[in-house]
Amino acid sequence: MKPYILAETNWKNVKDEHYEIAILPWGATEAHNYHLPYATDNIEAEGVAKETCRKAWDKGAKVLLLPTIPFGVNTGQLDIPFCMNLNPSTQYAILKDVAQVLDNCGIRKLVIFNSHGGNNFKQMIRELSLEFPDIFTCSLNWFQVLDATPFFDDPGDHAGELETAVVMHLAPELVLPLEEAGDGTAKKFKIKGLKEGWVTSQRQWTKVTKDTGVGNPKKATAEKGKKFVEAVSTKIADFLVELHHADVDNLYE
């Protein structure tokens, strides 16, 4: 039994424990090339968050890992069967309800542990600060915590080498042989500003990629995934330890 994972502990332990930080993993359910499961983002969110919270707890940080929210924003993939979509307004309604429970429990620090590129919580955090001014809320994308290029030949953007390697490490039984994967070839915008990234818009996924992947997964290995998860979870755990000790009313220097 792990006291830092809500789904794996019980009321006997929780009632006498003081938690300082709530961790909310947020993923998505969507196609990930031919070889990875629809739950890839959720597997990654939960797996990386569990390891992160274990390390933080062992260093004295009173963290509590909440169950993963399994649906994300997938408005550009609705023509792919069973790509489950939550509109941002729906996400905010869920986030607000979660925050209400945390507020009732006396939690004053909330970290959204994001695992899906289509999710963006920045504006939601602004609005949440008005609804629950006593809760310091922040978000991170675990897959962007470190520069991935030293760990992978070509990390990729979606179901590429990075994600494939991480799932090979966390849930190898759910990964098909890589010879069955598509090569993740993807088209880019024709318009210069969109191509360079200083103009943003939603991608229509089936017009970008045939196999739903963006990035070649063929050089992925479980060992690469293990090393990346180890490094990422260590860095985020250090942040959680620092946040545990921080006075949220005195954050600036």
Side-chain angles (χ1 to χ4, degrees):
M1 186 172 294
K2 301 178 179 66
Y4 53 87
I5 301 177
L6 182 59
E8 297 184 20
T9 189
N10 54 44
W11 171 234
K12 181 179 180 181
N13 287 329
V14 168
K15 67 183 181 66
D16 296 324
E17 187 63 79
H18 168 73
Y19 295 101
E20 187 76 15
I21 311 170
I23 316 297
L24 179 63
W26 207 309
T29 299
E30 58 178 351
H32 275 76
N33 204 316
Y34 301 127
H35 64 295
L36 291 180
Y38 267 60
T40 287
D41 290 350
N42 303 323
I43 292 166
E44 293 168 337
E46 187 165 335
V48 179
K50 281 183 175 180
E51 181 63 9
T52 297
C53 288
R54 181 190 68 79
K55 292 177 178 179
W57 184 270
D58 288 347
K59 292 181 179 181
K62 293 295 185 176
V63 297
L64 181 63
L65 180 63
L66 305 178
T68 301
I69 307 294
F71 301 145
V73 176
N74 284 92
T75 50
Q77 291 144 294
L78 293 180
D79 55 345
I80 301 173
F82 304 110
C83 282
M84 308 303 293
N85 175 58
L86 287 185
N87 289 325
S89 55
T90 308
Q91 282 191 307
Y92 180 69
I94 294 171
L95 181 60
K96 185 170 68 171
D97 285 354
V98 171
Q100 184 176 48
V101 174
L102 298 178
D103 191 51
N104 291 341
C105 295
I107 295 290
R108 295 292 173 260
K109 299 168 184 176
L110 169 61
V111 177
I112 304 169
F113 199 99
N114 184 42
S115 188
H116 173 56
N119 294 336
N120 189 331
F121 297 98
K122 185 174 183 178
Q123 297 299 80
M124 297 182 202
I125 290 172
R126 294 181 187 275
E127 188 168 351
L128 196 72
S129 70
L130 300 179
E131 297 263 3
F132 299 96
D134 292 334
I135 299 179
F136 172 79
T137 305
C138 60
S139 68
L140 61 88
N141 296 332
W142 72 265
F143 48 89
Q144 293 177 333
V145 168
L146 292 174
D147 178 9
T149 53
F151 297 86
F152 305 101
D153 293 272
D154 178 16
D157 180 37
H158 180 78
E161 185 183 344
L162 186 159
E163 283 203 288
T164 300
V166 169
V167 180
M168 289 172 108
H169 166 56
L170 296 174
E173 71 281 4
L174 297 179
V175 182
L176 291 178
L178 292 184
E179 55 266 25
E180 297 188 36
D183 61 13
T185 299
K187 297 179 180 179
K188 297 181 179 180
F189 283 110
K190 295 179 180 179
I191 299 173
K192 185 177 180 181
L194 289 164
K195 185 183 296 185
E196 291 178 351
W198 54 273
V199 181
T200 62
S201 183
Q202 175 176 266
R203 287 180 289 183
Q204 294 299 315
W205 214 250
T206 54
K207 294 181 180 179
V208 172
T209 168
K210 292 182 179 179
D211 53 33
T212 77
V214 177
N216 195 330
K218 298 301 178 70
K219 292 185 179 181
T221 66
E223 183 60 28
K224 288 181 179 179
K226 181 179 180 181
K227 288 181 180 179
F228 189 62
V229 169
E230 173 66 21
V232 166
S233 59
T234 296
K235 185 170 183 178
I236 304 175
D238 289 342
F239 161 72
L240 294 179
V241 172
E242 191 173 6
L243 181 61
H244 167 88
H245 294 291
D247 175 1
V248 293
D249 294 320
N250 185 24
L251 289 175
Y252 309 101
E253 61 183 11

